[in-house]
């Protein structure tokens, strides 16, 4: 039994808290709103994010970060990328000893183009940081909270830290693998949100499964192209945080990135889409970051480029998809050949 603090009481943070509580750990869940925390503690529900789900009585919530992390051996960060530095700043001022940080967020920071593990290591001094572990994979919070079969991957520069977190989370419903490729696991989890926006856009336009299959397949090539350029192992993208996460995020109505793309495809403006969602759509910020990073690194990412134009340059959704279909002819396996060379 471990003392675990989960920072972020949205759908994914709450679902991970359920897994940890099911495994018998002492779980404290940090939320920002008093009414949400009261609902979790008194009614054992988090209706805004996981409607109809009864939470284990052993999950205790608080709006006080210091109270949540007191005595915690492991801290699970499940906050949006844009809030990451703010939360880490609060942690830095509150921690009094070394901890292992597990992050389960998926994004790249615009402007710096840093992965979340890099942000954590930049914000927290080594005197407070035992290890950083990434948790990622095809895992909708709604299904995890219902104890439906789910598989994820954990990755760290320290093998023993990965294995400790694997043991922390794994149970009969939630299978956890380890992977030493931190770069690939993080980039696969972040970049698939861009392709999910594109899949939703295609569906919103009324295109069929052929178009979506093309977007997913060519999207994977695009993810692997940038990922391997940044130092990832190409095999990682054939695993859970590559193909696995891409499939589930591009094909499910649970996916907020797919839903956002779907609304865009039906003609809604981006601001209206984000207001309608009521939750963070990581793919929007990640599209900006990946587009800028691809230009800096001179890596070709045509799907990312047209989605960037839809999101930030007012390009029409149909025009964007048509441009992808009308690109100059090329060889499908050119990416595979370049990875071997």
């Amino acid at each position: 039994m471990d003392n675990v603090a989960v920072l972020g009481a949205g759908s994914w943070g709450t679902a991970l808290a359920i897994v940890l509580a099911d495994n018998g750990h002492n779980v404290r869940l940090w939320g920002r709103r008093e009414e949400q925390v009261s609902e979790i503690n008194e009614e054992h529900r988090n209706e805004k994010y996981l409607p109809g789900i009864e939470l284990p009585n052993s999950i205790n919530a608080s709006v006080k970060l210091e109270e949540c992390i007191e005595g915690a051996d492991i801290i699970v960060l499940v906050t949006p990328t844009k809030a990451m530095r703010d939360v880490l700043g609060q942690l830095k001022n509150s921690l009094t000893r070394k901890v292992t940080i597990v992050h389960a967020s998926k994004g790249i920071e615009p402007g710096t183009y840093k992965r979340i593990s890099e942000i954590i290591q930049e914000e927290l001094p080594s005197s407070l940081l035992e290890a950083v572990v990434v948790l990622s994979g095809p895992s909708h919070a709604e299904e995890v909270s219902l104890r439906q079969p789910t598989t994820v991957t954990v990755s760290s520069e320290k093998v023993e830290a990965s294995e400790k977190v694997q043991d922390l989370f794994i149970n009969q419903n939630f299978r956890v693998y380890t992977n030493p490729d931190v770069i690939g696991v993080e980039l696969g989890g972040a970049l698939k949100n861009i392709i999910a926006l594109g899949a939703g856009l295609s569906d919103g336009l009324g295109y069929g499964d052929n178009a979506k299959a093309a977007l997913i397949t060519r999207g994977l090539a695009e993810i692997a192209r940038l990922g391997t350029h940044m130092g990832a192992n190409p095999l990682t993208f054939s695993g859970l945080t590559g193909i696995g996460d891409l499939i589930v995020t591009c094909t499910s109505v649970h996916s907020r990135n797919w839903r956002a793309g779907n609304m865009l495809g039906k003609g809604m403006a981006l601001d209206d889409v984000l207001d309608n969602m009521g939750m963070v759509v990581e793919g929007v910020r990640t599209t900006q970051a990946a587009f800028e990073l691809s230009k800096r690194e001179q890596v070709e990412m045509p799907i990312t480029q047209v989605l960037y134009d839809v999101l930030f340059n007012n390009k029409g959704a149909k025009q964007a998809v048509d441009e992808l279909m009308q690109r100059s002819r090329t060889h499908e396996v050119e990416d595979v050949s370049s990875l071997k060379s």
Side-chain angles (χ1 to χ4, degrees):
M1 181 183 294
D2 285 283
N3 297 316
V4 186
V6 179
L7 306 187
S11 56
W12 189 216
T14 305
L16 289 176
I18 291 172
V19 175
L20 292 166
D22 285 350
N23 288 352
H25 302 297
N26 297 316
V27 184
R28 292 177 182 163
L29 182 60
W30 179 61
R32 293 182 180 272
R33 296 184 294 108
E34 287 279 6
E35 60 270 24
Q36 181 192 30
V37 164
S38 296
E39 182 185 45
I40 292 169
N41 289 334
E42 296 168 13
E43 301 177 30
H44 309 296
R45 293 187 178 277
N46 190 355
E47 283 298 314
K48 178 179 179 181
Y49 294 102
L50 290 176
I53 299 298
E54 185 172 349
L55 307 182
N57 294 353
S58 56
I59 296 176
N60 296 301
S62 176
V63 293
K64 297 178 180 178
L65 186 139
E66 297 87 352
E67 186 176 292
C68 279
I69 67 172
E70 185 179 358
D73 308 300
I74 294 175
I75 296 174
V76 183
L77 275 176
V78 200
T79 56
T81 307
K82 67 178 183 180
M84 193 62 64
R85 289 191 187 271
D86 175 63
V87 173
L88 289 168
Q90 294 180 59
L91 266 181
K92 182 179 178 180
N93 293 328
S94 303
L95 285 171
T96 58
R97 61 195 179 95
K98 278 191 171 185
V99 295
T100 293
I101 300 287
V102 181
H103 90 73
S105 302
K106 299 174 180 179
I108 302 172
E109 187 176 48
T112 68
Y113 317 126
K114 290 185 182 294
R115 293 175 283 108
I116 293 172
S117 66
E118 294 176 306
I119 296 171
I120 294 169
Q121 291 166 331
E122 190 172 279
E123 292 290 331
L124 293 182
S126 58
S127 59
L128 297 175
L129 203 53
E130 189 71 48
V132 178
V133 182
V134 185
L135 186 152
S136 189
S139 48
H140 286 311
E142 295 84 355
E143 295 181 9
V144 171
S145 68
L146 291 169
R147 281 80 169 181
Q148 293 183 355
T150 301
T151 55
V152 298
T153 294
V154 291
S155 182
S156 176
E157 294 175 357
K158 297 182 177 180
V159 175
E160 63 275 15
S162 289
E163 293 174 346
K164 178 176 176 59
V165 172
Q166 180 183 39
D167 291 340
L168 189 78
F169 279 97
I170 196 167
N171 61 34
Q172 68 270 26
N173 305 312
F174 198 78
R175 182 165 178 78
V176 185
Y177 291 85
T178 62
N179 184 331
D181 180 18
V182 176
I183 297 173
V185 169
E186 284 191 292
L187 288 181
L191 297 174
K192 56 87 184 178
N193 285 331
I194 302 172
I195 311 306
L197 282 171
L201 192 82
S202 177
D203 286 339
L205 287 166
Y207 296 149
D209 293 337
N210 294 353
K212 186 155 60 176
L215 272 167
I216 293 172
T217 308
R218 296 311 301 166
L220 179 62
E222 198 160 298
I223 290 169
R225 194 182 304 129
L226 180 63
T228 53
H229 179 83
M230 301 304 294
N233 182 338
L235 291 177
T236 295
F237 302 113
S238 66
L240 290 170
T241 62
I243 291 175
D245 213 352
L246 194 59
I247 291 171
V248 79
T249 313
C250 290
T251 62
S252 173
V253 293
H254 291 315
S255 166
R256 65 187 70 170
N257 290 283
W258 179 90
R259 296 203 312 270
N262 189 255
M263 291 182 220
L264 288 169
K266 291 177 177 176
M268 288 181 66
L270 178 60
D271 289 343
D272 293 335
V273 168
L274 298 179
D275 288 342
N276 185 280
M277 292 290 295
M279 292 184 284
V280 173
V281 181
E282 285 283 12
V284 174
R285 281 169 54 88
T286 303
T287 299
Q288 178 187 354
F291 171 76
E292 294 172 355
L293 178 60
S294 69
K295 293 302 179 186
R296 189 188 75 178
E297 299 296 321
Q298 298 183 318
V299 174
E300 187 179 15
M301 299 185 73
I303 297 173
T304 300
Q305 180 165 345
V306 298
L307 285 171
Y308 177 86
D309 286 339
V310 169
L311 295 172
F312 302 107
N313 292 331
N314 296 315
K315 177 170 285 185
K318 186 177 187 306
Q319 180 186 353
V321 175
D322 288 346
E323 284 184 10
L324 283 173
M325 293 301 293
Q326 293 166 11
R327 292 179 67 236
S328 300
R329 65 182 187 177
T330 185
H331 298 290
E332 182 187 11
V333 296
E334 60 181 346
D335 300 299
V336 178
S337 299
S338 66
L339 295 181
K340 290 180 178 179
S341 61

